[in-house]
Amino acid sequence: VYNHYKSIGTRAINFLFPDCTHDDKYAVIPPDSDVFATWLIKMFDRWFYESPKERPDIQMFSSLISVILGGGSWVEHFGKGNSEIVVIESNGSIEAEDSLRGCGNGFTKAGANVMFDELDDAFDTKLAYLYHNGSMMNCTQCMACPLNEICSGGFLLHRYDSKTGFN
């Protein structure tokens, strides 16, 4: 995959993890599977040891390195910054980040619309507040982890469980 994108002159690549919650994670990723980790580690090693002038930017990797070195993140999976994404649907609805739809039907519907509301109104919902501050609102186990400053508890959608919410 990496070699193909590099061979066609791609300058930037963004690989996305499968979207799942704790409720359905084993439907997406088998228990004790390291298939994604193995694939990403091999690709990272190949990418990292190439000359920066010759390699495409892989957002996930460059963002992770930035966070490890004390900088910011360009992806939602890493770092302690606020997530600053809001979605405006084609009908004008203003919603929290659309991957959170994976938590359930209608989960992101806030009732705000650009025809009648200000963008700031979309941030007044509990879900939007949680999404934008999610990297700072982790469970006790995550807060005690030495890698918390880097992973921040992980992607908010992946933390969701229908019984305990995002905790």
Side-chain angles (χ1 to χ4, degrees):
V1 171
Y2 174 72
N3 286 339
H4 170 73
Y5 283 115
K6 188 177 170 192
S7 74
I8 61 173
T10 303
R11 293 185 301 217
I13 304 170
N14 189 14
F15 293 105
L16 304 175
F17 292 114
D19 282 339
C20 61
T21 67
H22 274 273
D23 292 329
D24 64 0
K25 66 183 173 187
Y26 295 128
V28 178
I29 304 169
D32 302 321
S33 173
D34 64 354
V35 65
F36 294 116
T38 301
W39 183 71
L40 286 169
I41 289 167
K42 286 180 182 178
M43 189 174 359
F44 177 86
D45 287 345
R46 173 171 281 167
W47 173 84
F48 184 79
Y49 289 108
E50 287 184 352
S51 165
K53 293 178 181 177
E54 297 176 14
R55 67 183 184 211
D57 178 44
I58 297 181
Q59 229 177 23
M60 179 189 329
F61 297 159
S62 56
S63 189
L64 180 59
I65 290 169
S66 175
V67 170
I68 289 170
L69 296 176
S73 176
W74 303 279
V75 296
E76 302 164 305
H77 300 297
F78 307 120
K80 285 289 191 185
N82 292 343
S83 298
E84 300 294 336
I85 295 175
V86 66
V87 172
I88 301 175
E89 295 291 335
S90 59
N91 68 357
S93 293
I94 308 169
E95 303 179 12
E97 203 276 331
D98 54 354
S99 70
L100 295 177
R101 292 177 185 162
C103 298
N105 187 29
F107 197 83
T108 60
K109 303 296 182 202
N113 190 293
V114 295
M115 299 296 288
F116 316 105
D117 304 289
E118 299 292 326
L119 281 177
D120 287 344
D121 295 337
F123 296 102
D124 291 337
T125 66
K126 183 178 178 182
L127 179 60
Y129 178 83
L130 180 66
Y131 175 74
H132 290 280
N133 297 289
S135 69
M136 308 302 257
M137 303 167 67
N138 292 317
C139 67
T140 305
Q141 182 180 0
C142 284
M143 294 302 284
C145 177
L147 298 177
N148 184 260
E149 291 295 320
I150 296 168
C151 87
S152 303
F155 187 43
L156 195 59
L157 172 65
H158 301 167
R159 290 166 39 187
Y160 182 75
D161 179 287
S162 58
K163 294 180 185 90
T164 61
F166 294 99
N167 194 6

